[in-house]
Amino acid sequence: MSALFEHSPWVEARADARPSSGNRYHDLMEVVYDAPRDEKLALIRAHPELAGRAAIDGSLTEASAAEQASAGLDRLTPAEFERFHALNAAYRDRFDFPFIICVRLTDKAGILAAMERRLAHDRDTEIATAIAEIGKIVLLRLEDQA
């Protein structure tokens, strides 16, 4: 099994246990969308904070480290680092899970703007947004495997 979903091999295992539609991405995301809310939250919570503790201590998965580096999150100025840290804390306090965005499709400024904008969302909207962003991450990871 690959590491398409951060620390969540159950998604791929369930997809593999079902009849295939012939579209791997569709099969994987169907498992996610069909999962109970608590499992969706566990999936979201399995993701690291952007430019957070895991990035500092080197415990990011290889895929996450490369993705965060692609957006320049491994080269933050002290002011940028503080801004990310403050927004991560505010986001986690509001929603009780980390901010998720497909960093390969944006840059530092875009991520910061999205963090600020999404803090105004309600929790249900943000859960749906996080799952959609995970879908984008998975699609790119699948394309990398092809």
Side-chain angles (χ1 to χ4, degrees):
M1 239 179 250
S2 64
L4 295 171
F5 293 85
E6 292 287 316
H7 307 290
S8 302
W10 61 269
V11 178
E12 290 178 75
R14 285 189 196 162
D16 292 342
R18 294 178 172 192
S20 173
S21 71
N23 180 322
R24 180 74 171 152
Y25 176 72
H26 175 270
D27 294 345
L28 291 165
M29 293 309 296
E30 186 174 84
V31 167
V32 172
Y33 291 125
D34 288 349
R37 183 180 177 99
D38 63 322
E39 289 182 348
K40 288 177 184 169
L41 287 169
L43 174 63
I44 294 167
R45 289 181 180 128
H47 284 74
E49 286 186 343
L50 298 178
R53 188 176 320 121
I56 295 166
D57 69 18
S59 64
L60 287 176
T61 63
E62 186 176 321
S64 283
E67 289 161 355
Q68 289 199 29
S70 76
L73 300 185
D74 61 338
R75 300 175 303 280
L76 297 176
T77 67
E80 289 170 331
F81 178 80
E82 287 304 317
R83 187 72 185 134
F84 268 95
H85 182 73
L87 286 168
N88 276 331
Y91 188 91
R92 186 172 287 281
D93 287 347
R94 177 152 168 74
F95 299 111
D96 194 31
F97 51 81
F99 176 82
I100 309 293
I101 191 168
C102 183
V103 297
R104 288 170 60 181
L105 299 178
T106 190
D107 58 16
K108 288 185 284 189
I111 295 166
L112 287 168
M115 290 175 94
E116 291 170 352
R117 182 180 67 255
R118 286 172 49 189
L119 273 167
H121 286 173
D122 62 63
R123 193 162 195 265
D124 288 340
T125 299
E126 207 43 36
I127 289 169
T129 301
I131 294 295
E133 291 296 321
I134 289 169
K136 294 174 189 176
I137 294 165
V138 169
L139 183 59
L140 290 174
R141 289 179 180 180
L142 278 169
E143 289 173 358
D144 289 344
Q145 291 179 356

